[in-house]
């Protein structure tokens, strides 16, 4: 939709109210036993299993893809009675250099490859190169592109520049889904987070995402609550359902349960599907597998028995 500066200017955030509400998600709701296991299995299906390290190799990416295809050990699948689910993660997320390797490793699985792009994580490379990087990743087979916005546009209130940037990225993605990374830890205020969320959605983002995972402050519940309420407001205004992806710092199964609870309470059951909700995760799967083993056996195993790659 066209940029509506009146809508952007009208956005307000009551920070203390947001913080109070966010603090309730981990205390007001809990799931136990079989219900907890079911929620954790749902969390696995919502993961963008990720490796974004300078020492990534093709062998590591292939191992990650194998884990995405079979996220749980066979003995746990059998014990849980879920063989017929054909459980996989939601996607595998890599740098552009590893897209072709991941696409080949996931062939026939139906698991999409997501590529971080646009000068990830800082978005400070020349603009035409950021656009070219998107096009190259799509050409290599990436079905999802995680772009990084220019934080300076938010910090200076240049909403037209942010809108134009996001719209250009949307066009470059073609049929690929685009996730807009806001890098919320660097935006200065919750109001800036809310306004940037609205602008990116207006410009065509399929998802809005909290963080690159490389900032000193990544996904937090207050930030996430502001973003999901922006999604709710945008749906009320346009009828469009936009996805949400928290990333960075979500490494424990209990954290995943809190986020799932927030999504269900704030946006409803429709947002507990991979097309509208993802976790940006690298170590989360290992802890979930560990919790599921405890559910089956009553014993906690060592973390090294649940390696990712």
């Amino acid at each position: 939709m066209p940029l509506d500066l009146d809508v952007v200017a009208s956005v307000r955030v009551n920070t203390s109210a947001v913080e109070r509400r966010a603090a309730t998600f981990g205390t007001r709701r809990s799931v136990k036993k079989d219900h907890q296991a079911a929620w954790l299995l749902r969390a696995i299906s919502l993961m963008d299993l990720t490796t974004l390290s300078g020492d990534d190799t093709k062998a590591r990416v292939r191992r990650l893809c194998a884990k995405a295809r079979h996220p749980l050990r066979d003995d746990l699948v059998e014990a849980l009675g879920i063989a017929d689910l054909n459980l996989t993660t939601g996607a595998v997320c890599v740098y552009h250099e590893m897209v072709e390797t991941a696409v080949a490793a996931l062939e026939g699985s139906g698991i999409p490859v997501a590529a971080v792009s646009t000068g990830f994580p800082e978005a400070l490379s020349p603009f035409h190169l950021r656009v070219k990087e998107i096009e190259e990743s799509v050409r290599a087979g990436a079905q999802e592109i995680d772009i990084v916005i220019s934080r300076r546009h938010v910090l200076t209130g240049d909403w037209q520049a942010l809108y134009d940037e996001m719209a250009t990225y949307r066009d470059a993605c073609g049929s690929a889904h685009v996730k807009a990374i806001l890098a919320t830890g660097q935006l200065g205020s919750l109001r800036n987070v809310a306004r940037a969320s609205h602008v990116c959605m207006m410009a065509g983002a399929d998802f809005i995402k909290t963080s690159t995972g490389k900032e000193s402050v990544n996904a937090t519940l207050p930030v996430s609550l502001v973003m999901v309420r922006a999604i709710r407001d945008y749906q009320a205004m346009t009828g469009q359902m936009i996805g949400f992806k928290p990333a960075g710092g979500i490494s424990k199964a209990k954290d995943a349960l809190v986020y799932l609870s927030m999504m269900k309470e704030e946006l409803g059951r429709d947002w507990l599907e991979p097309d509208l909700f993802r976790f940006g995760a690298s170590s989360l799967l290992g802890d979930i597998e560990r919790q599921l083993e405890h559910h089956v056996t009553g014993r906690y195993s060592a973390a090294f028995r649940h390696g990712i790659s």
Side-chain angles (χ1 to χ4, degrees):
M1 61 176 287
L3 175 64
D4 190 333
L5 290 174
D6 290 337
V7 170
V8 178
S10 70
V11 171
R12 298 288 186 273
V13 176
N14 184 330
T15 299
S16 60
V18 167
E19 291 173 346
R20 287 195 303 270
R21 170 62 171 153
T24 68
F25 289 119
T27 59
R28 293 175 57 250
R29 297 285 184 270
S30 63
V31 287
K32 302 295 184 183
K33 299 183 179 180
D34 288 349
H35 297 288
Q36 183 181 91
W39 278 62
L40 292 177
L41 293 172
R42 170 65 60 175
I44 291 173
S45 74
L46 301 172
M47 284 185 198
D48 283 3
L49 199 58
T50 302
T51 182
L52 297 171
S53 299
D55 59 353
D56 281 343
T57 64
K58 291 183 178 181
R60 174 185 287 177
V61 170
R62 291 189 190 103
R63 291 195 300 272
L64 193 76
C65 292
K67 188 67 173 175
R69 283 175 174 267
H70 303 287
L72 294 178
R73 296 198 321 260
D74 288 342
D75 61 308
L76 293 179
V77 171
E78 182 178 355
L80 291 165
I82 59 168
D84 59 334
L85 291 182
N86 296 315
L87 183 67
T88 69
T89 65
V92 169
C93 185
V94 294
Y95 278 117
H96 167 77
E97 183 73 11
M98 296 296 170
V99 169
E100 288 188 4
T101 299
V103 168
L106 294 171
E107 185 177 3
S109 68
I111 303 171
V113 173
V116 294
S117 194
T118 63
F120 180 94
E122 302 298 345
L124 292 174
S125 57
F127 183 70
H128 71 281
L129 294 181
R130 284 180 259 159
V131 175
K132 186 68 173 177
E133 186 179 10
I134 292 173
E135 294 169 347
E136 290 293 329
S137 290
V138 172
R139 191 174 297 114
Q143 295 167 270
E144 301 177 1
I145 303 293
D146 289 25
I147 65 93
V148 190
I149 68 167
S150 297
R151 286 70 138 180
R152 64 186 179 276
H153 297 328
V154 179
L155 296 172
T156 59
D158 194 344
W159 304 116
Q160 186 66 58
L162 177 61
Y163 178 91
D164 293 343
E165 177 183 76
M166 183 67 237
T168 300
Y169 293 158
R170 168 66 274 173
D171 289 343
C173 286
S175 62
H177 279 204
V178 57
K179 307 188 195 92
I181 306 173
L182 304 188
T184 55
Q186 298 176 342
L187 297 189
S189 69
L190 292 179
R191 183 175 66 177
N192 278 347
V193 170
R195 289 179 171 178
S197 297
H198 276 280
V199 173
C200 287
M201 290 187 287
M202 289 177 184
D206 296 300
F207 270 69
I208 51 175
K209 176 179 171 181
T210 60
S211 319
T212 66
K214 307 294 186 181
E215 294 94 59
S216 59
V217 178
N218 293 291
T220 67
L221 283 172
V223 158
S224 298
L225 179 59
V226 167
M227 293 175 70
V228 299
R229 287 189 171 176
I231 289 171
R232 191 171 69 189
D233 291 344
Y234 189 78
Q235 184 198 18
M237 180 173 63
T238 67
Q240 297 297 312
M241 299 168 72
I242 305 298
F244 176 61
K245 179 178 174 180
I250 304 172
S251 60
K252 301 297 182 183
K254 63 181 180 181
D255 297 330
L257 294 174
V258 170
Y259 273 91
L260 288 171
S261 174
M262 179 186 69
M263 295 301 289
K264 190 170 189 298
E265 289 190 19
E266 292 289 328
L267 291 175
R269 175 63 181 79
D270 288 343
W271 266 267
L272 296 183
E273 298 291 341
D275 59 341
L276 287 173
F277 184 50
R278 301 283 181 84
F279 291 105
S282 55
S283 58
L284 175 61
L285 178 55
D287 192 60
I288 288 180
E289 190 173 21
R290 186 167 175 259
Q291 299 301 321
L292 289 171
E293 182 167 358
H294 177 266
H295 175 73
V296 168
T297 67
R299 300 182 300 275
Y300 281 109
S301 62
F304 72 80
R305 296 189 66 235
H306 307 284
I308 301 300
S309 62

